[in-house]
Amino acid sequence: MNVFLHRLWCSFCLMLGNQDSLIRYLLPIINYIKPNYLPGSFGAKVLSAEIKTQDMLYLHLKVSKRWPGFIAGQHISLTFNRKGRWLSRTFSLCSSTALWQKHQEVKLCCKIHKNGAFTPLLATVKTDDKLNISVASGGFVWQKIPQSTTFIAAGSGITPIAAMLLSQDHWSSPVTLIYRVKDASNAALLSELQTLASQQPLFSINLSQSHTESAADFASKVASLALTQQYYICGPAPFMQAIHHALITTGVSKDCIHQEQFGLPAPSLSSDDITKIQATFVRGGVAQNILMAKGLSLLQGAEQGGLQASFGCRMGVCFQCVCQKVSGQVRDIRSGVLSGHGEEQIQLCISQPVSELVIQL
């Protein structure tokens, strides 16, 4: 009976506001009263925000007691409001699980991209500012801990690996961290990991600096290391590909390699995805026709066509890009669910064109 009533309520909300919850439909009004409220997220207060290395921001957050916690190696979506616009990006947690369990606190280490849309604004947050975080997710976690393990990280890829290492209480086999950096002075979380190595005899760090060791020499060194029972690697795409190839060439089974890529490459599009569909965007009575690929979101297609549309998080969370579809059909990128062919509200950032469209901005 409860399931039936829940479905009935969701259907009513969809009929009324094209959202499965009236809270989302009324979010602009709620945010006028409570600017930092975001449904489905958890509040976080900034305890400190500090640039410790050249381009890495260290965030220390006090998180709502309602937050269910995390497994070391997982990531969260960090969201904040700037001038009425919701901005969101995913980051791996870099602190130990004990810090959350004892004090309801977590830490993030975020690389600041000078030309980025999110991280330069994130670098302006101050102590006591309010942010929002999602539930933790991801399967890049340390398994079979009694086995000997080698961790290999580069750049921001150190963050989930640091969380795994700092969260470990019981060490029963050797663990090695191979950390590839530009130079030691810009190595994020190095001091915390060096302290751990000084306290734990089964853990050692091998630091590789790119200004003194070439990428080819580094890959050769990895291939020449004594084999361990499992490998965890994380870093930029070219780094990941090179290390994975070096390990496989050495004779490591792919089942022993666990990896999480930092900065996913753009997915390749099938021949169907690059088929062009016309979308007509109407603003202030003026129509603009844009021929866009089916594999793109409506927001991406509009931007490629030179049209400036409102947006926020670009992932379907903030509802800043909601607009009215007059006609045509779209697909929800997240779920694959198809819309109807008539008038309804849609979100540009998570909708792909299925047929010719008319959209009122």
Side-chain angles (χ1 to χ4, degrees):
M1 184 64 179
N2 289 336
V3 174
F4 172 76
L5 291 175
H6 175 72
R7 289 177 178 173
L8 185 63
W9 173 250
C10 288
S11 297
F12 171 75
C13 294
L14 286 167
M15 179 183 65
L16 181 65
N18 199 39
Q19 304 293 344
D20 59 6
S21 169
L22 284 184
I23 292 179
R24 293 187 181 277
Y25 181 68
L26 298 173
L27 187 58
I29 299 174
I30 297 173
N31 285 153
Y32 183 79
I33 302 169
K34 193 174 181 180
N36 291 303
Y37 175 76
L38 188 64
S41 68
F42 301 85
K45 177 182 177 181
V46 177
L47 297 179
S48 66
E50 182 181 0
I51 301 288
K52 289 189 177 181
T53 56
Q54 186 176 6
D55 57 358
M56 299 295 285
L57 172 68
Y58 287 61
L59 281 179
H60 188 176
L61 306 176
K62 181 78 171 183
V63 185
S64 166
K65 292 182 178 180
R66 297 187 301 109
W67 190 61
F70 70 105
I71 300 173
Q74 290 187 315
H75 54 265
I76 59 168
S77 290
L78 178 66
T79 306
F80 63 98
N81 194 314
R82 276 293 177 270
K83 298 181 179 179
R85 175 179 163 192
W86 289 105
L87 302 171
S88 183
R89 187 174 167 185
T90 299
F91 296 97
S92 294
L93 294 154
C94 66
S95 53
S96 70
T97 52
L99 182 65
W100 158 249
Q101 292 165 351
K102 294 178 181 179
H103 305 289
Q104 286 76 54
E105 297 173 9
V106 297
K107 292 182 180 180
L108 301 171
C109 188
C110 313
K111 183 177 178 64
I112 305 301
H113 299 276
K114 292 182 180 180
N115 297 322
F118 183 91
T119 53
L121 291 175
L122 181 62
T124 66
V125 302
K126 304 179 294 297
T127 300
D128 294 332
D129 278 356
K130 300 295 192 302
L131 308 176
N132 292 279
I133 67 170
S134 68
V135 294
S137 60
F140 187 61
V141 297
W142 193 358
Q143 302 170 344
K144 301 179 181 178
I145 292 173
Q147 297 183 347
S148 58
T149 305
T150 298
F151 291 91
I152 308 174
S156 300
I158 191 62
T159 52
I161 287 176
M164 295 182 201
L165 294 168
L166 295 172
S167 297
Q168 182 57 21
D169 292 327
H170 305 289
W171 300 74
S172 57
S173 57
V175 175
T176 300
L177 168 63
I178 304 173
Y179 189 7
R180 177 75 165 170
V181 297
K182 290 182 179 179
D183 59 78
S185 63
N186 289 320
L189 302 165
L190 180 59
S191 60
E192 293 90 334
L193 292 167
Q194 287 176 329
T195 299
L196 177 64
S198 67
Q199 297 170 345
Q200 178 48 250
L202 288 175
F203 173 55
S204 61
I205 301 176
N206 187 324
L207 192 68
S208 170
Q209 302 181 69
S210 60
H211 73 283
T212 59
E213 185 176 32
S214 69
D217 289 342
F218 176 68
S220 296
K221 181 174 70 175
V222 171
S224 66
L225 292 173
L227 297 182
T228 57
Q229 291 176 292
Q230 56 180 344
Y231 295 82
Y232 288 80
I233 53 180
C234 188
F239 171 84
M240 300 287 291
Q241 293 167 1
I243 299 305
H244 189 275
H245 176 74
L247 292 174
I248 294 295
T249 301
T250 304
V252 177
S253 168
K254 63 180 182 180
D255 294 333
C256 297
I257 302 173
H258 314 273
Q259 62 186 74
E260 180 164 87
Q261 189 164 282
F262 213 86
L264 292 174
S268 57
L269 299 178
S270 67
S271 58
D272 184 58
D273 286 332
I274 61 177
T275 301
K276 301 290 186 178
I277 290 181
Q278 179 173 291
T280 300
F281 294 87
V282 182
R283 173 183 281 157
V286 178
Q288 180 174 342
N289 295 325
I290 294 177
L291 200 60
M292 58 178 292
K294 289 176 63 177
L296 297 177
S297 71
L298 290 175
L299 179 59
Q300 291 172 320
E303 291 174 335
Q304 286 190 5
L307 183 63
Q308 298 297 318
S310 298
F311 68 90
C313 67
R314 305 182 75 96
M315 57 189 295
V317 174
C318 70
F319 297 91
Q320 297 289 305
C321 63
V322 170
C323 60
Q324 188 75 12
K325 176 173 67 66
V326 179
S327 63
Q329 189 175 40
V330 298
R331 175 186 293 107
D332 189 312
I333 294 173
R334 302 167 301 179
S335 63
V337 174
L338 296 175
S339 72
H341 293 272
E343 288 196 35
E344 60 185 299
Q345 286 189 324
I346 62 170
Q347 293 173 263
L348 294 178
C349 70
I350 57 167
S351 299
Q352 290 176 324
V354 174
S355 66
E356 289 191 5
L357 297 163
V358 177
I359 298 170
Q360 181 77 45
L361 296 177

